[in-house]
C-alpha cells in the first residue's frame, strides 16, 4: 500500500513569510509525528498526534510553529513568520498503535529553505 | 530525559566485511525500545531493526543484528557482508513507553562502503 506522503518536497520562502507543510499518513495509522532534521543532525521531535487525544506539542520550538490533524488523517504543520534558522528538512511519520514494534514509517520529508 | 549518543566519526568498511556502529543510551525508564534507521542520500528514513528492553535475545534482521548490552546501556548495530548500497547515515533511536511514544534520535553515523 501507499506509504507516508508529504508535500511539497521542497519549499523556498522569504524570511517573515508563513509556510504550510502537509503530511498524509498511512491509511489506518492512528499516530502521527512531526520531526525536524537540521543539516547534519539527527531528528528533533516536534509534535505528536494520537487518535482524538490532545496532541503533544512539547517539541515545538516556538509559538510560531503549530500543527493540526483533520479527521484523524492528514496533518498540516504551519510555521509563521519564518526565520532562517527554520531551514531544515521536516519529516512526518505515522505508526499503528498495537503493532508489535509501534514502528514509525517516515515520509520523504519537505526541505524548507528560508532566504 | 532520554539521551542517545553516537560519537563515531565517519566509518569506512570494505565491501563484504562486517562493521559495527556504536550507540549508547541513557534513560530512567525500565521499559523502552531501541531502533536503528538508515538514511541514504535520497533522504528517506528506513527502519532496520528493533530491540525491546525486556527482549531476552539480541534482535536480528537479515544482515543486521543488534548487540544489546543492557547493563552497559549500549545497542550497537552490526552489519555483516557489507554492500555498496549500505553507504548511508545510520541513526539510533529510543522510544519510551509513555503515552507519547516519540523517538529520541542520536546524531547519526556516516558509513561508507569501499569496493
Amino acid at each position: 500500500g501507499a506509504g507516508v506522503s508529504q508535500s511539497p518536497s521542497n519549499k523556498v520562502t522569504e524570511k517573515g513569510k508563513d509556510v504550510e507543510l502537509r503530511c498524509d499518513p498511512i491509511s489506518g495509522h492512528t499516530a502521527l509525528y512531526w520531526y525536524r532534521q537540521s543539516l547534519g543532525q539527527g531528528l528533533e521531535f516536534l509534535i505528536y498526534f494520537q487518535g482524538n487525544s490532545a496532541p503533544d506539542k512539547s517539541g515545538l520550538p516556538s509559538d510560531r510553529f503549530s500543527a493540526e490533524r483533520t479527521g484523524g488523517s492528514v496533518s498540516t504543520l504551519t510555521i509563521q513568520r519564518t526565520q532562517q534558522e527554520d531551514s531544515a528538512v521536516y519529516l512526518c511519520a505515522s505508526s499503528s498503535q498495537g503493532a508489535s514494534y509501534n514502528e514509525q514509517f517516515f515520509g520523504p520529508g519537505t526541505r524548507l529553505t528560508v532566504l | 530525559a532520554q539521551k542517545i549518543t553516537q560519537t563515531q566519526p565517519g566509518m569506512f568498511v570494505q565491501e563484504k566485511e562486517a562493521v559495527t556502529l556504536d550507540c549508547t543510551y541513557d534513560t530512567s525508564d525500565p521499559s523502552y525500545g531501541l531502533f536503528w534507521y538508515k538514511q541514504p542520500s535520497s533522504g528517506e528514513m528506513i527502519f532496520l531493526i528493533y530491540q525491546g528492553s525486556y527482549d531476552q535475545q539480541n534482535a536480528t534482521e537479515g544482515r543486521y543484528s543488534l548487540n544489546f548490552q543492557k547493563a552497559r546501556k549500549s545497542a550497537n548495530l552490526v552489519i555483516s557482508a557489507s554492500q555498496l548500497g549500505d553507504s548511508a547515515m545510520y541513526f539510533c533511536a529510543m522510544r519510551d513507553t509513555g503515552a507519547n511514544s516519540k523517538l529520541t534520535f542520536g546524531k547519526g553515523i556516516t558509513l561508507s562502503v569501499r569496493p
Side-chain angles (χ1 to χ4, degrees), chain A:
Chain A
V4 178
S5 61
Q6 292 186 246
S7 61
S9 55
N10 280 284
K11 176 71 176 179
V12 180
T13 190
E14 293 180 348
K15 178 181 173 181
K17 296 285 181 67
D18 298 351
V19 296
E20 285 189 351
L21 313 179
R22 177 187 168 106
C23 171
D24 276 280
I26 292 173
S27 177
H29 279 191
T30 56
L32 186 148
Y33 311 79
W34 283 97
Y35 295 88
R36 177 170 71 174
Q37 185 176 25
S38 301
L39 186 64
Q41 298 296 312
L43 277 69
E44 171 192 14
F45 167 75
L46 297 177
I47 188 168
Y48 160 65
F49 296 89
Q50 172 56 50
N52 295 322
S53 302
D56 180 342
K57 305 178 183 179
S58 61
L60 295 178
S62 78
D63 59 7
R64 296 185 297 105
F65 288 72
S66 63
E68 62 178 22
R69 189 179 185 191
T70 54
S73 181
V74 172
S75 177
T76 302
L77 177 69
T78 301
I79 309 173
Q80 296 178 309
R81 303 180 303 281
T82 52
Q83 304 294 312
Q84 288 182 332
E85 60 263 29
D86 299 334
S87 295
V89 176
Y90 289 82
L91 290 153
C92 175
S94 70
S95 71
S96 173
Q97 299 295 96
S100 57
Y101 297 165
N102 282 6
E103 170 196 345
Q104 294 182 20
F105 295 84
F106 283 81
T110 294
R111 182 175 298 278
L112 175 66
T113 303
V114 182
L115 301 177

Side-chain angles (χ1 to χ4, degrees), chain B residues 99-111:
Chain B
N100 172 8
S101 55
K102 72 179 189 289
L103 294 176
T104 300
F105 285 83
K107 293 186 181 298
I109 301 168
T110 301
L111 175 67

Side-chain angles (χ1 to χ4, degrees), chain B residues 20-50:
Chain B
T20 298
L21 306 182
D22 295 342
C23 172
T24 58
Y25 60 91
D26 192 20
T27 181
S28 56
D29 194 331
S31 180
Y32 50 88
L34 294 157
F35 297 77
W36 277 90
Y37 281 84
K38 171 184 178 181
Q39 187 177 45
S41 57
S42 54
E44 74 266 35
M45 294 289 286
I46 302 168
F47 166 73
L48 296 179
I49 197 167
Y50 168 83

Side-chain angles (χ1 to χ4, degrees), chain A residues 37 40-43, chain B residues 4-6 89-92 105-109:
Chain A
Q37 185 176 25
Q41 298 296 312
L43 277 69
Chain B
I4 295 285
T5 302
Q6 296 180 266
M89 281 283 286
Y90 288 81
F91 291 95
C92 180
F105 285 83
K107 293 186 181 298
I109 301 168

Side-chain angles (χ1 to χ4, degrees), chain B residues 58-78:
Chain B
N58 287 345
T60 60
E61 286 286 348
R63 295 187 298 111
Y64 304 107
S65 61
L66 205 150
N67 183 2
F68 181 48
Q69 298 187 42
K70 194 171 181 178
R72 297 179 61 182
K73 293 188 175 180
S74 73
N76 298 340
L77 176 70
V78 181

